[in-house]
Amino acid sequence: HKGGPVIFLDRIPADIVADVEVEKRPLRKEGPRKVFTLYKERITLYREAADITVSNRGREEDVLEKILDALKG
């Protein structure tokens, strides 16, 4: 990719549903199943587009450390 690596922060739908406020995300107004449906529809595309995939689970500091480690190669 011209501008640098594409990093996909992979977060399981259950975690998204658990902590995203409905009123702040229009798609969530369709209900939690929508998050699972979109994940299933898009996950392959996201993984194919990514140069680096990082699991987005745990503390923010730990996820950031995973990203930095992945960028170091």
Side-chain angles (χ1 to χ4, degrees), residues 3-53:
V6 173
I7 301 170
F8 170 47
L9 297 177
D10 192 2
R11 190 148 187 249
I12 62 170
D15 287 352
I16 297 168
V17 168
D19 69 2
V20 174
E21 296 178 35
V22 174
E23 50 284 343
K24 293 187 179 181
R25 298 300 299 256
L27 287 175
R28 281 293 315 272
K29 291 179 183 176
E30 296 181 38
R33 294 296 325 151
K34 184 67 174 179
V35 174
F36 288 88
T37 301
L38 289 174
Y39 186 90
K40 187 176 178 180
E41 290 173 0
R42 298 176 180 178
I43 188 65
T44 301
L45 296 172
Y46 292 158
R47 289 182 177 154
E48 288 174 356
D51 298 310
I52 299 167
T53 299

